[in-house]
């Protein structure tokens, strides 16, 4: 067993890739060419159909549902996870619904970043929790995309986008040796957390987040590996996560609903252009826990 700490270097390839993906201000390609309107009464059926097909639902509603109806949709998928973090309680409704409102400028304070205009690094949700405590689905609904600031010539700057990166494509970019290391490595914590890489229903699944400039303490059970080899595997993973060709983004409009399977995608957020005075981006989020972890190993 090897213990170590990963800390990114300015020269690491993923640092430049991350900046290009999250902070370039460019519009990323969407995961699907169109966001179809959801037929009346068909939201649940269409959500389940798309999630089962490829781990992602995208749909457009005429009007965002009220909190009770949005939470009811979440309950049809599983159990909404309470938002227990004291830092977010001012933004929580009915214990489980988080209002992601861009009330802060770009900040290094991790507790404020979900409510700011800056970028969020790529991650799987709840990566530092036991498997049973990790959400299976993240459900997002746009109440207001915000009116982005304009350039001097009257053009609109690109607003914040929710970035999606398929875990399967990240897995394919890694060497067999790097995969073996990540299958044996987990966060060094008091909790019984999964390894960085595992399989669910025969698919590669990562429990990992980009810690940015913060330290990541880890433990690896693989025999004969060195601390340097584990850290190099993390560098390869991060570079694969930020590869430009794999990233897609949800472009928000009022009434857009997105549900993503946390075992299919890494997700994050581009830095958003400052909004016009009196305008703020407002998304609502549910995290859904479910018993659908069959085939896990």
């Amino acid at each position: 067993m090897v213990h170590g700490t990963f800390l990114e270097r300015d020269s690491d390839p993923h640092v430049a890739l991350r900046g290009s993906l999250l902070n370039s201000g460019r519009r990323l390609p969407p995961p699907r060419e169109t966001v179809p309107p959801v037929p009346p009464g068909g939201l649940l059926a269409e959500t389940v159909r798309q999630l089962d097909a490829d781990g992602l639902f995208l749909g457009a509603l005429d009007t965002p549902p009220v909190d009770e109806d949005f939470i009811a949709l979440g309950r049809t998928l599983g159990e909404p996870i309470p938002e227990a973090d004291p830092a977010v309680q001012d933004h929580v409704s009915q214990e489980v619904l988080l209002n992601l409102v861009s009330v802060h400028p770009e900040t290094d304070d991790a507790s404020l970043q979900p409510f700011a205009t800056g970028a969020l690094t790529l991650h799987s949700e709840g990566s530092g929790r036991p498997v049973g405590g990790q959400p299976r689905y993240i459900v997002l609904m746009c109440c207001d995309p915000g009116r982005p600031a304009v350039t001097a010539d009257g053009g609109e700057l690109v607003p914040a986008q929710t970035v999606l990166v398929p875990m399967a494509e990240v897995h394919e970019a890694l060497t067999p040796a790097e995969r073996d290391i990540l299958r044996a490595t987990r966060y060094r914590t008091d909790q019984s957390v999964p390894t960085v890489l595992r399989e669910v229903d025969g698919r590669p699944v990562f429990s990992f987040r980009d810690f940015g400039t913060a330290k990541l303490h880890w433990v690896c059970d693989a025999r004969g590996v060195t601390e340097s080899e584990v850290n190099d595997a993390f560098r390869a993973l991060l570079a694969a996560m930020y590869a430009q060709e794999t990233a897609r983004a949800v472009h928000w409009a009022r009434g857009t609903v997105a549900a993503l399977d946390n075992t299919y995608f890494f997700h994050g957020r581009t830095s958003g252009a400052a909004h016009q005075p009196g305008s703020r981006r407002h998304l609502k989020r549910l995290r859904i826990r479910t018993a659908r972890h069959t085939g896990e190993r």
Side-chain angles (χ1 to χ4, degrees):
M1 182 180 294
V2 180
H3 295 73
T5 298
F6 175 78
L7 184 63
E8 73 176 25
R9 304 174 299 213
D10 291 341
S11 60
D12 288 342
H14 76 270
V15 175
L17 291 171
R18 180 174 63 210
S20 178
L21 182 66
L22 300 184
N23 296 308
S24 69
R26 64 187 177 90
R27 183 180 175 88
L28 299 173
R32 296 188 180 129
E33 291 301 319
T34 60
V35 181
V38 177
L43 179 58
L44 173 60
E46 186 61 16
T47 301
V48 172
R49 185 189 71 79
Q50 292 188 30
L51 283 171
D52 284 346
D54 58 12
L56 175 66
F57 163 77
L58 278 176
L61 301 174
D62 290 336
T63 303
V66 297
D67 289 355
E68 291 79 5
D69 291 342
F70 185 52
I71 293 171
L73 169 64
R75 288 201 174 103
T76 63
L77 298 175
E79 176 190 359
I81 299 175
E83 296 289 347
D85 185 348
V88 306
Q89 291 308 302
D90 288 345
H91 302 276
V92 175
S93 299
Q94 300 190 37
E95 297 186 354
V96 296
L97 191 154
L98 187 65
N99 291 280
L100 299 169
V101 184
S102 56
V103 295
H104 299 288
E106 189 166 354
T107 175
D108 291 329
D109 186 336
S111 66
L112 297 180
Q113 285 176 349
F115 315 102
T117 59
L120 285 177
T121 58
L122 291 173
H123 60 283
S124 62
E125 195 74 18
S127 64
R129 300 179 182 179
V131 169
Q134 295 183 11
R136 179 64 186 253
Y137 302 119
I138 311 298
V139 188
L140 298 165
M141 177 182 65
C142 181
C143 297
D144 189 343
R147 299 190 306 275
V150 298
T151 61
D153 59 3
E156 285 192 349
L157 298 174
V158 177
Q161 306 157 77
T162 296
V163 182
L164 304 176
V165 174
M167 293 182 178
E169 295 190 31
V170 172
H171 179 265
E172 285 301 306
L174 300 173
T175 67
E178 290 162 349
R179 296 172 192 166
D180 287 343
I181 289 173
L182 295 174
R183 287 191 188 99
T185 305
R186 57 177 54 83
Y187 296 168
R188 193 165 78 237
T189 174
D190 293 337
Q191 297 192 79
S192 179
V193 299
T195 54
V196 171
L197 174 60
R198 66 189 195 277
E199 288 189 354
V200 175
D201 297 329
R203 295 181 290 103
V205 173
F206 292 89
S207 286
F208 182 73
R209 75 175 302 120
D210 173 11
F211 278 72
T213 58
K215 293 180 179 179
L216 166 57
H217 303 292
W218 52 262
V219 57
C220 179
D221 294 329
R223 290 184 177 182
V225 300
T226 66
E227 181 176 0
S228 177
E229 288 173 326
V230 176
N231 284 336
D232 285 345
F234 280 130
R235 291 187 174 91
L237 171 58
L238 285 160
M241 288 165 60
Y242 286 106
Q244 305 292 304
E245 60 270 17
T246 65
R248 297 293 182 267
V250 178
H251 306 284
W252 296 104
R254 177 176 168 80
T256 300
V257 178
L260 64 102
D261 190 320
N262 196 39
T263 69
Y264 273 79
F265 295 97
F266 290 106
H267 66 283
R269 187 184 68 211
T270 63
S271 56
H275 295 128
Q276 295 179 28
S279 174
R280 293 171 175 170
R281 182 185 67 250
H282 180 192
L283 305 181
K284 293 185 178 183
R285 185 194 78 180
L286 295 171
R287 297 179 300 168
I288 307 299
R289 183 166 45 218
T290 174
R292 294 181 62 186
H293 288 283
T294 59
E296 187 146 353
R297 54 179 195 144

